[in-house]
Amino acid sequence: MILASEAFIGEHIHNYLRQTGPCLSPFNAWTLLKSLETMPVRIAAQVRSAGQIADYLADHPYVARVLYPGRPDHPQAALVKKQMFGRRHASSPSMSRAARRARSKWPMRFPSLAISNNLGDAKSLLTHPATTTHQRLNPEARADLGIGEGMVRLSVGLEDVDDLIEDLGAALDILGIEARRAAE
């Protein structure tokens, strides 16, 4: 159902529907239905991996803070426990000040992670909210939301969790070494 004026529908929606079709093709519908069959298994694997990665990152010396709903140190842990089953699969680690100085190089340091502003894929993705999803906000508004220049958002996919942890650890160690050199 589209609630809009007749003029808006005629000018904007009608042509779009005529060109794209208002319904899924049979093949796309079948593909969507097949993916729903394995969705619980995929999400369970992502949730398990995300929890392990969040715990690893929380103990890493170059990570200043981890915001992960499944951890007891999350600011809304009590609410999460009441409203959610299990743990969530997105994590927002914030790099330490030293690692932040080398931030311009961080995308190249994560071989198994894609850089994107679109989270929730079967592949693990990184995004930098200050320059992607929240770029239109001024620094003060981002700070009010807890989004600093050092925050990196990680959406955990279906890759092997040990590979992801190894890549994250190696990348953070390189960033830490580069940051120390830059500070000297």
Side-chain angles (χ1 to χ4, degrees), residues 7-161:
F8 182 85
I9 291 173
E11 291 173 26
H12 300 286
I13 306 298
H14 190 265
N15 285 338
Y16 174 77
L17 292 176
R18 186 181 321 131
Q19 293 171 7
T20 62
C23 63
L24 292 173
S25 71
F27 178 75
N28 288 350
W30 177 80
T31 303
L32 180 63
L33 285 172
K34 294 304 287 178
S35 73
L36 290 175
E37 291 176 7
T38 60
M39 189 172 163
V41 176
R42 289 181 281 125
I43 289 177
Q46 288 175 298
V47 168
R48 261 191 319 276
S49 294
Q52 288 179 259
I53 290 169
D55 292 340
Y56 169 78
L57 292 172
D59 292 332
H60 197 283
Y62 296 121
V63 175
R65 182 178 185 201
V66 172
L67 289 174
Y68 179 70
R71 288 183 50 84
D73 58 355
H74 189 275
Q76 295 178 318
L79 180 63
V80 169
K81 197 171 188 176
K82 283 173 51 176
Q83 292 184 344
M84 297 179 188
F85 298 102
R87 298 171 112 184
R88 295 288 305 246
H89 69 278
S91 178
S92 296
S94 289
M95 295 184 279
S96 67
R97 280 195 190 104
R100 254 183 262 158
R101 290 188 194 106
R103 184 180 61 78
S104 63
K105 299 178 183 176
W106 67 260
M108 313 160 236
R109 303 296 187 212
F110 300 95
S112 63
L113 298 168
I115 308 302
S116 178
N117 60 353
N118 181 24
L119 304 174
D121 201 326
K123 298 179 290 295
S124 293
L125 302 169
L126 282 175
T127 188
H128 182 246
T131 57
T132 57
T133 56
H134 294 76
Q135 70 177 343
R136 292 198 170 125
L137 298 177
N138 63 42
E140 295 79 25
R142 284 195 303 267
D144 288 344
L145 294 171
I147 298 168
E149 287 298 315
M151 179 180 275
V152 177
R153 178 114 191 256
L154 170 62
S155 178
V156 177
L158 295 172
E159 301 89 351
D160 181 75
V161 69

